[in-house]
Amino acid sequence: MNSDIKILVLEDEILLAKDLQGKLEDFGYHVEHVRSGEETLKAFQKDIPDLAVLDIEVEGEMDGLEIGSYITNTYGTPIIYLTQFKDLQTFQKAKKAKPVSYLTKPVNLWDLIRAIELSLEHAAIATNVEEKNYVLSKAIYLKSEEQHFEKVSIDDIYYLKAAGAYTEIHTTTKTFIFSDNISYFEKKLMAPQLMRVHRSWMINVNRVDSIDKSNLVVHDEKIPVGKSYKKTVQATFKLIS
């Protein structure tokens, strides 16, 4: 059985989504259904799935292509795209997110199952051969100036800041400095609450004190929101005016 495998399905056509969810659950997968890019982001921040099945054409501020690119760059979660379009232009755009498969509607169930199984198998192989990191679900071990590894709760991280070729990790107790760029940490940490908001900044979404059109304030630090990240930020935070 595949009950430990969690699949997120982004599909705004309710009947199609329920049918797809039911069939995948019949195969033993745990399936979560969302209807928009915004709901997808919130689902990832709660719990990162093993695989995402994304319809390219969905309603909302962010389409499946934008969501797919964000998921790939932030979490590295395998993606399967679904689309009703068969044109080359859509396919070329979808390739940028490096999906494991690209299926056209109406979806053949066995094609989808094969794509899922192959994707999960490749992910498992990659995990086994990858260098092991000292990362727990709620904590990481950071090397301090004293040259030993300190346990730091993810919740205690305020933000990460790029400083030239170095990255500063600011926490509730101290600042750690590493000779790796911020993209390295974005890929390595893969913590749902840590979000890239600028080419030089990552923030803990639970540590944001205030928001305006162009900035976030975290622990008295005014952090700019990059143009390419604005949709993601707007979709993440519930803003009530």
Side-chain angles (χ1 to χ4, degrees):
M1 296 294 288
N2 304 301
S3 57
D4 292 334
I5 301 299
K6 181 177 180 181
I7 298 175
L8 184 136
V9 175
L10 168 60
E11 174 59 70
D12 59 3
E13 295 181 36
I14 298 299
L15 293 179
L16 175 59
K18 292 300 181 184
D19 178 65
L20 188 59
Q21 182 175 3
K23 289 176 178 177
L24 291 177
E25 288 177 344
D26 286 342
F27 274 86
Y29 298 113
H30 174 71
V31 181
E32 179 179 2
H33 167 230
V34 292
R35 299 179 59 183
S36 68
E38 292 76 9
E39 289 182 14
T40 303
L41 290 179
K42 289 179 172 61
F44 265 81
Q45 286 158 10
K46 286 175 58 180
D47 187 19
I48 302 173
D50 297 289
L51 183 140
V53 179
L54 308 177
D55 183 12
I56 289 178
E57 305 86 22
V58 290
E59 296 179 359
E61 291 293 323
M62 305 177 74
D63 62 21
L65 293 175
E66 291 174 299
I67 287 293
S69 294
Y70 178 78
I71 288 172
T72 297
N73 294 330
T74 305
Y75 301 103
T77 302
I79 294 169
I80 295 175
Y81 272 133
L82 306 181
T83 182
Q84 62 182 350
F85 297 117
K86 300 180 180 180
D87 60 287
L88 182 61
Q89 185 178 7
T90 301
F91 177 68
Q92 293 295 342
K93 289 181 179 178
K95 281 173 59 179
K96 294 179 181 179
K98 299 180 175 63
V100 296
S101 191
Y102 181 93
L103 304 175
T104 54
K105 298 180 181 179
V107 179
N108 180 288
L109 178 61
W110 290 107
D111 286 343
L112 179 58
I113 295 298
R114 280 192 289 267
I116 290 172
E117 290 295 321
L118 287 172
S119 171
L120 295 174
E121 184 176 331
H122 290 161
I125 293 171
T127 300
N128 288 335
V129 301
E130 188 181 48
E131 178 184 356
K132 299 301 181 182
N133 302 305
Y134 294 96
V135 180
L136 304 178
S137 59
K138 296 183 180 180
I140 56 176
Y141 284 85
L142 298 177
K143 196 171 187 178
S144 68
E145 292 179 353
E146 294 78 22
Q147 299 300 304
H148 64 267
F149 290 91
E150 293 186 23
K151 184 178 180 180
V152 177
S153 169
I154 297 293
D155 292 334
D156 289 341
I157 295 175
Y158 286 124
Y159 55 82
L160 285 76
K161 177 183 178 181
Y166 294 83
T167 298
E168 301 172 1
I169 301 181
H170 292 252
T171 75
T172 56
T173 57
K174 64 191 297 184
T175 298
F176 297 83
I177 301 176
F178 295 88
S179 59
D180 299 287
N181 62 36
I182 198 167
S183 295
Y184 168 84
F185 288 98
E186 184 179 16
K187 293 177 181 178
K188 285 291 182 182
L189 295 180
M190 292 199 305
Q193 62 267 54
L194 298 181
M195 183 173 72
R196 188 81 172 263
V197 296
H198 188 276
R199 64 180 181 180
S200 299
W201 297 86
M202 285 179 68
I203 55 100
N204 185 336
V205 297
N206 297 319
R207 290 286 184 173
V208 175
D209 298 314
S210 64
I211 304 171
D212 64 29
K213 290 183 179 179
S214 303
N215 301 280
L216 304 168
V217 175
V218 179
H219 192 54
D220 296 328
E221 182 75 36
K222 198 170 187 179
I223 297 172
V225 177
K227 184 177 179 180
S228 61
Y229 298 94
K230 283 188 176 181
K231 284 186 178 180
T232 306
V233 171
Q234 291 169 356
T236 299
F237 296 98
K238 186 179 293 184
L239 305 179
I240 302 175
S241 57

